[in-house]
Amino acid sequence: MDLISQIKKIESKISSKILFNEKLSNYSWFNVGGPGKVFFTPRNLNELSIFLKNIKNFDNIKILGVGSNTLVRDGGFSGIIIRLGKTFAHTSILGNDRIIAGGSVLDKSLSNFAMQNSLSGFEFLSCIPGTIGGGIRMNSGCYGEDISKILISVQVMDFNGKVHIIYSSDIKFNYRDCNLEDNLIFISATFQGVKKDKAEIKKKIDYLVEKKKKDQPSKIKTCGSTFKNPKNNKAWKLIRDSGCAGMKFGEAHISEKHCNFFVNEGNAKSSDLENLIKVVKKKVLEKTGINLELEIKIIGENFEE
Ligand SMILES: Cc1cc2nc3c(=O)[nH]c(=O)nc-3n(C[C@H](O)[C@H](O)[C@H](O)COP(=O)(O)OP(=O)(O)OC[C@H]3O[C@@H](n4cnc5c(N)ncnc54)[C@H](O)[C@@H]3O)c2cc1C
């Protein structure tokens, strides 16, 4: 049975929203990209499990947070996009100093929730515009902190609809990466905080947010750092020193303020951004011998005319 026929059958079993040919540009910070063939927002865990159990012989599935690290190609995505909605945006306190947060909780909201409960360790999350799910996948972080340092465990659902708990100690976290398999949906996570004075936590958050505003551009269509920083080096410096500052491809530009931020200046196509990425990668390799590795994720197919 083809994908759409399978989905039509599932639709009669659940009440969650399933959209067809949904514009994915609305779900990526770059604001580019074609449609997603099937776009599923599960109403709850049970419906997510029913959905996955009923999909047969199909593994072209991608999970999306708020798309602050994802470039969608112009041809869209011919599989299933799963995006956790509001029902997965819960936060609660466990015991005295732990927090359980759903996979779609915004990093900023978790930081705020921790502050309200006098728990420190989450301040850096105020500077990251993604979700907890995206944060775990990317091991997101800044200013010397990252998710791996506060994560105790993550509750996941595999593509067979089964739930597992994975402890942080069993996950290998690297810089902007972890070894959890791509066929796992992070539905919630437990974090460890440290009790501290609320005013002190707020002071740190305000300081970091202000610092971030000074260091990086804001209110633009970007996915943040395009490339990972190579060991003992900075991607933005390598890009600048290779003569790529201010480079453009169509309406895809390199930010004036931060060379590693690529920006859709208006109506860029995904292919403009990808071409800019390719040119910069080549120039940096030629000039410095360093092969930059992408931090952003690219999904979907090229547009065929
Ligand atoms: C202005 C700006 C500043 C930024 N600054 C920083 C920074 O300081 N530090 C930093 O680390 N990053 C930064 N980023 C990048 C980005 O915000 C982070 O990578 C963030 O964690 C991505 O979260 P997301 O929900 O947007 O993920 P998405 O872009 O939606 O997805 C990213 C990856 O996570 C996976 N994923 C998302 N949700 C789930 C889930 N529930 N289960 C399983 N997999 C999932 C996706 O499949 C994909 O592989 C910045 C981005 C912008 C736009």
Side-chain angles (χ1 to χ4, degrees):
M1 206 188 310
D2 70 14
L3 176 62
I4 298 299
S5 311
Q6 288 194 48
I7 300 291
K8 291 282 174 203
K9 267 186 98 174
I10 298 171
E11 267 185 324
S12 62
K13 297 182 183 169
I14 57 178
S15 62
S16 301
K17 207 153 75 172
I18 306 181
L19 302 170
F20 298 93
N21 294 319
E22 179 70 354
K23 255 175 99 174
L24 295 180
S25 55
N26 290 336
Y27 301 91
S28 160
W29 271 56
F30 274 130
N31 197 220
V32 296
K37 190 165 186 174
V38 175
F39 190 95
F40 177 53
T41 311
R43 184 178 283 271
N44 54 43
L45 207 53
N46 187 37
E47 296 215 345
L48 176 59
S49 176
I50 294 173
F51 180 90
L52 291 164
K53 280 179 178 154
N54 281 277
I55 296 287
K56 304 276 179 242
N57 305 320
F58 191 84
D59 60 4
N60 196 14
I61 301 175
K62 292 273 180 219
I63 324 302
L64 207 53
V66 287
S68 66
N69 205 49
T70 303
L71 174 67
V72 183
R73 289 201 170 110
D74 298 315
F77 181 66
S78 60
I80 301 168
I81 298 279
I82 298 178
R83 190 173 188 263
L84 302 183
K86 278 188 240 151
T87 39
F88 293 84
H90 53 85
T91 39
S92 54
I93 291 287
L94 178 67
N96 192 36
D97 53 6
R98 291 182 173 192
I99 296 177
I100 301 180
S104 66
V105 170
L106 289 174
D107 296 328
K108 210 167 82 176
S109 308
L110 177 56
S111 175
N112 201 36
F113 180 78
M115 191 248 302
Q116 294 302 341
N117 287 281
S118 305
L119 286 176
S120 174
F122 302 80
E123 294 88 341
F124 72 99
L125 289 173
S126 288
C127 302
I128 303 176
T131 61
I132 292 310
I136 295 172
R137 163 61 58 212
M138 302 304 304
N139 190 20
S140 295
C142 53
Y143 305 125
E145 305 293 336
D146 62 47
I147 286 259
S148 72
K149 294 186 182 160
I150 50 172
L151 185 75
I152 296 174
S153 62
V154 54
Q155 193 188 13
V156 305
M157 185 175 282
D158 64 28
F159 284 180
N160 296 315
K162 285 196 184 135
V163 172
H164 312 262
I165 293 179
I166 304 176
Y167 287 91
S168 187
S169 50
D170 293 324
I171 305 170
K172 193 165 177 291
F173 282 103
N174 296 312
Y175 164 64
R176 302 296 167 264
D177 196 17
C178 72
N179 69 344
L180 289 164
E181 288 181 27
D182 282 337
N183 65 348
L184 298 175
I185 305 169
F186 310 147
I187 47 190
S188 67
T190 306
F191 296 97
Q192 181 70 58
V194 176
K195 276 281 176 198
K196 232 186 199 169
D197 179 52
K198 205 187 278 187
E200 241 183 88
I201 298 172
K202 179 157 184 345
K203 208 169 140 191
K204 184 164 178 192
I205 290 178
D206 291 346
Y207 169 75
L208 293 179
V209 169
E210 221 22 67
K211 186 168 164 51
K212 181 95 172 178
K213 266 192 211 154
K214 275 189 204 135
D215 295 345
Q216 295 178 358
S218 54
K219 300 195 175 79
I220 49 170
K221 295 176 187 176
T222 183
C223 273
S225 293
T226 309
F227 296 103
K228 293 181 185 179
N229 287 326
K231 221 177 176 150
N232 304 322
N233 221 324
K234 295 278 179 204
W236 71 264
K237 264 194 191 140
L238 294 166
I239 295 170
R240 184 198 62 190
D241 296 348
S242 304
C244 299
M247 199 178 256
K248 299 172 185 172
F249 208 109
E251 290 196 29
H253 294 202
I254 291 181
S255 158
E256 306 261 320
K257 193 165 178 183
H258 194 302
C259 278
N260 198 18
F261 275 49
F262 290 21
V263 187
N264 169 8
E265 281 291 339
N267 292 308
K269 287 197 231 142
S270 186
S271 56
D272 295 332
L273 285 154
E274 229 180 320
N275 282 326
L276 192 59
I277 287 169
K278 281 181 196 154
V279 173
V280 169
K281 199 172 151 69
K282 189 165 173 273
K283 284 225 165 222
V284 172
L285 182 63
E286 279 166 6
K287 182 90 181 171
T288 67
I290 295 174
N291 197 4
L292 288 177
E293 196 189 326
L294 269 187
E295 177 170 327
I296 59 164
K297 304 279 184 192
I298 300 181
I299 63 166
E301 293 90 34
N302 288 319
F303 184 68
E304 283 172 34
E305 300 199 46

